[in-house]
Amino acid sequence: RKEVEQDPGPFNVPEGATVAFNCTYSNSASQSFFWYRQDCRKEPKLLMSVYSSGNEDGRFTAQLNRASQYISLLIRDSKLSDSATYLCVVTTNYGGSQGNLIFGKGTKLSVKP
Amino acid sequence: DTEVTQTPKHLVMGMTNKKSLKCEQHMGHRAMYWYKQKAKKPPELMFVYSYEKLSINESVPSRFSPECPNSSLLNLHLHALQPEDSALYLCASSQGLNRGYEQYFGPGTRLTVT
């Protein structure tokens, strides 16, 4: 089982739509969770950290379910500029070191006019 | 300011060349990272430095040699690369290695080995 799994998409949605991405992780000892977005041929940019209580930043809402080991990202009122690949990222211990990011393969979102 | 800078933006090198990639951050971060990213794949961790000391080497071939001259700078020295090493090389930094710290990425160097 892969450490972090995401539906690769693509998700093709019209402007204004609400879209949700899910991500599952295999290591129950994982401690920190993030969503990054990556535009084509650009670097990943931190979108938001994900907390157990859930968190919201404008049109974006992230949720964490530790019992089921999944993370979600909800985007409301989609904009053309939201088109990107969304990377689910988890940190876990291995090799005696902490804080290393484990990336999912990403979910591609395409918002159409 | 969450800026990480990388130079050069693009690099084309032959298999016998020696070149270096540079990364800089002025956020006071004490952990710095090198990642390699191939097209349509997520970034793969190569090296981690914490407080200017190499903390992790993910079994990277010796033709890649990292260096951390000070807390703001991270270099990646390249020698005798192979065409399959062509990729986007990303540098990142974080406050420390604690698992809660967010990593911030530079724009990357797009490397082509001919």
Side-chain angles (χ1 to χ4, degrees):
Chain A
R1 183 180 172 188
K2 296 189 180 71
E3 289 197 68
V4 179
E5 292 202 62
Q6 296 181 249
D7 180 344
F11 284 58
N12 297 309
V13 303
E15 268 187 292
T18 295
V19 61
F21 307 137
N22 290 327
C23 163
T24 58
Y25 59 95
S26 61
N27 188 339
S28 59
S30 297
Q31 292 293 322
S32 300
F33 310 90
F34 308 95
W35 283 102
Y36 282 76
R37 70 168 278 168
Q38 187 168 25
D39 294 280
C40 188
R41 299 178 70 82
K42 299 282 191 181
E43 76 274 23
K45 289 187 188 294
L46 179 67
L47 183 64
M48 57 200 308
S49 301
V50 188
Y51 305 116
S52 295
S53 54
N55 47 305
E56 187 173 311
D57 182 3
R59 298 181 293 109
F60 299 85
T61 301
Q63 298 276 355
L64 168 64
N65 184 319
R66 285 189 184 272
S68 302
Q69 294 181 209
Y70 83 77
I71 308 145
S72 64
L73 177 68
L74 184 77
I75 305 176
R76 289 181 298 278
D77 188 23
S78 300
K79 310 290 185 194
L80 296 176
S81 57
D82 294 334
S83 297
T85 295
Y86 289 82
L87 298 164
C88 175
V89 183
V90 169
T91 64
T92 189
N93 285 355
Y94 72 98
S97 296
Q98 302 176 352
N100 299 315
L101 301 184
I102 309 295
F103 286 85
K105 292 192 172 182
T107 298
K108 187 170 181 179
L109 171 66
S110 182
V111 181
K112 307 290 187 186
Chain B
D1 183 10
T2 55
E3 188 176 66
V4 177
T5 59
Q6 289 185 245
T7 56
K9 288 187 178 176
H10 300 275
L11 178 62
V12 180
M13 59 186 290
M15 289 189 283
T16 58
N17 292 158
K18 285 186 182 180
K19 296 285 184 184
S20 296
L21 309 185
K22 296 186 184 302
C23 173
E24 191 167 3
Q25 57 88 14
H26 292 290
M27 296 178 278
H29 288 177
R30 302 318 299 261
M32 296 185 77
Y33 310 77
W34 279 115
Y35 289 85
K36 172 182 177 180
Q37 187 175 25
K38 302 282 271 185
K40 299 189 188 301
K41 301 282 189 185
E44 296 174 21
L45 184 66
M46 300 175 72
F47 301 104
V48 181
Y49 273 82
S50 175
Y51 288 85
E52 300 155 52
K53 289 187 170 24
L54 185 63
S55 175
I56 292 174
N57 175 340
E58 286 288 347
S59 303
V60 179
S62 60
R63 57 186 185 268
F64 295 92
S65 174
E67 178 197 17
C68 190
N70 61 54
S71 59
S72 300
L73 292 174
L74 187 65
N75 298 324
L76 186 63
H77 303 298
L78 313 172
H79 173 55
L81 294 194
Q82 303 295 312
E84 59 264 30
D85 296 323
S86 298
L88 180 67
Y89 288 84
L90 294 160
C91 173
S93 71
S94 64
Q95 283 186 307
L97 281 189
N98 185 285
R99 46 175 97 82
Y101 291 133
E102 299 154 340
Q103 289 188 23
Y104 296 93
F105 286 83
T109 294
R110 192 161 297 280
L111 174 68
T112 303
V113 182
T114 60

